[in-house]
Amino acid sequence: MLAKLVTRPSARRCAVSGALGLALLGAGLPASTADDTEPGLSRFYDQKITWSACEGMDVPDDLQCGKITVPLDYDRPKAGTLDLALARYRATGDSRGSVLLNFGGPGGSGVGELSSGGKDFMHLTNGYDVVTFDPRGVGRSSPVTCGPATLDIVEATNGDEEITDPQDVLRHLRDAAAECEKHSGPVLSHMGTVDAARDMDVMRHALGDDRLNYLGFSYGTRLGSVYAAQFPDKVGRMVLDGVDTLTEPLTEQGLAGARGQQTALENFLGWCVGDIACPFGQDVRDARRQVVRLVGSLDADPVPSAYGDPFTGADMVGAVGQALYSRALWPSLERALAQLMEDGDTSGLEGFVSGGVTFPVRATGKAQSREGTGGGLTDPEDVPMDNLPAALMAINCADDPDRPTADQVAGSLGRLRARYEEASAVFGRYRLTQVLMCYGRPKGTDYIREDVKDLDTAKMLLVGTRGDPATPYRWTVETAERLGPSAVVLDNRGEGHTGYASSECVHRKVDDFLLYGSLPPDGSSCGPENGGEDDGGH
């Protein structure tokens, strides 16, 4: 999830996760399980991927890039096409095919993530080509943008307690939604997880795999679940880590996120006060009060950021929310907060949400312009700076069927704010973004809520982390029950968002399943320390 819709140039492509989406949580009907026999789609399923070396700043030498072409509209496959950017690390030995990765978001570039963080997946190259992609509307794959309207969305949904006219806020959001449509082009009305899952089946066939082997994180678990519902007989070895909800409305998702982040903050503060260097002292209750006061003081009297513009309480909440996704970042967060409190230096906190995503390009040929065909790969330098938040909103809204009226939203806003602030005095009011962000957009699909359940597929491994601030552990349990007997749960008794990168035990069990088909018993667990495990169940 995005901690907030960051608009400073260096921070707009921030890490995926916070108030809007990674844990958040289109319209369309489930696809037929008959891929290349479906009328009008054979030319897409029959294509072959041409791989070549990637180019770009700090791109690993062994990373290869390619693309596939998919229909803009699966119901009208002759109405236009989109190119989707792919990247892969080739198998080091005999390859049994590919494993497809989705790193979450929604709205995150898989190609950029694999380029910068591929070392975590190198063990999988013992048996697979490790492949990822930029979903439609994301990164180089016809990226959506809201243009100048991004600022209007930020201002309307930044948690301001002084909203005196909710109807005026909703008018701004409705106008902004129209601007997003104008700036994004035809892809915007064909985004959402239902379409992205159909794209993955085209990828599967183009990669030469009879079944889809898949590792999805956070939002990627929603995408994997939808694929399994659409193509149950094409599911290979599938792992869902940091399991998303398939049923809760955006209002409840925001509350769950606020509670999860508050719990993670309290865990961090409990750790911090045990260190003499903790800027909040050694009393945890006083530390909690100091955090609330610090956020309030920054909103009332912002300090200059490293870029010259004001650094507010909302900025601090966004940065802290990002840092809480990994326990490994706690020492850095402690130092960054000390820098802010002692010297007014915001650079440490800004580091958690700043930085860019590298978009490797193919070494041969020039990427097509979006103008003309409307569907070619976008040059890296032309990817809009607001693509991540714009895509996140587009996908989440395409997946959400709820569209309360302006009167309903305005009438419930005060009550909702109270519930959110009760969930978290620090994060609560900023999470109201999730309640408002789809206003003015077309109603999304009800397919995920209504039909992604009771699946008849090969066994799938679902990993839930007890201390996950973005996707609460109960979502893992609820989604497993919803998916049915195919779902096998691994209980990670640790901290942070997802388990694969933070727990040696989870990493090993996931790799053993993907590489060798060795599935842990349902209800087995990994201990809170890296490498610890306890197969005794819940």
Side-chain angles (χ1 to χ4, degrees), residues 84-287:
L84 305 183
L86 304 176
R88 75 171 180 181
Y89 286 104
R90 296 203 65 179
T92 55
D94 293 336
S95 175
R96 68 194 67 180
S98 302
V99 58
L100 191 64
L101 307 183
N102 181 279
F103 297 96
S109 163
V111 174
E113 289 286 346
L114 189 63
S115 175
S116 62
K119 66 180 186 305
D120 288 334
F121 305 95
M122 287 301 100
H123 189 244
L124 292 174
T125 61
N126 289 336
Y128 292 108
D129 294 340
V130 175
V131 182
T132 191
F133 62 104
D134 288 355
R136 55 173 61 207
V138 173
R140 299 189 63 211
S141 303
S142 298
V144 294
T145 175
C146 293
T150 298
L151 288 173
D152 295 330
I153 298 170
V154 173
E155 292 169 0
T157 60
N158 67 358
D160 190 352
E161 292 179 319
E162 302 302 321
I163 296 177
T164 56
D165 183 2
Q167 295 283 0
D168 185 56
V169 172
L170 296 179
R171 280 193 293 273
H172 277 88
L173 289 172
R174 184 177 61 246
D175 292 343
E179 287 294 302
C180 295
E181 183 176 4
K182 182 176 75 173
H183 286 280
S184 294
V187 69
L188 185 65
S189 59
H190 298 284
M191 290 180 68
T193 303
V194 170
D195 282 312
R198 299 192 72 169
D199 293 341
M200 289 205 305
D201 201 57
V202 175
M203 291 178 212
R204 173 196 62 77
H205 199 274
L207 290 166
D209 294 332
D210 292 333
R211 293 176 180 268
L212 179 73
N213 302 306
Y214 178 78
L215 173 56
F217 299 96
S218 197
Y219 162 76
T221 69
R222 189 199 313 171
L223 180 57
S225 298
V226 171
Y227 179 88
Q230 291 177 309
F231 304 97
D233 62 337
K234 301 300 183 184
V235 173
R237 295 172 184 173
M238 180 171 284
V239 180
L240 311 178
D241 184 3
V243 181
D244 203 351
T245 180
L246 300 175
T247 58
E248 290 193 353
L250 293 177
T251 301
E252 297 305 315
Q253 292 179 34
L255 283 168
R259 294 188 189 104
Q261 286 186 303
Q262 183 65 33
T263 298
L265 175 63
E266 292 178 359
N267 291 341
F268 162 74
L269 292 175
W271 168 86
C272 182
V273 298
D275 182 1
I276 193 65
C278 182
F280 302 110
Q282 275 63 60
D283 182 271
V284 70
R285 286 176 293 184
D286 186 53

Side-chain angles (χ1 to χ4, degrees), residues 31-69:
S32 166
T33 59
D35 44 40
D36 53 347
T37 61
E38 193 170 345
L41 296 181
S42 60
R43 67 188 179 105
F44 299 103
Y45 275 93
D46 289 343
Q47 67 188 298
K48 302 297 181 185
I49 302 169
T50 300
W51 297 99
S52 61
C54 298
E55 289 184 346
M57 184 180 297
D58 300 324
V59 175
D61 293 338
D62 54 345
L63 187 69
Q64 295 183 322
C65 286
K67 69 176 184 179
I68 64 163
T69 302

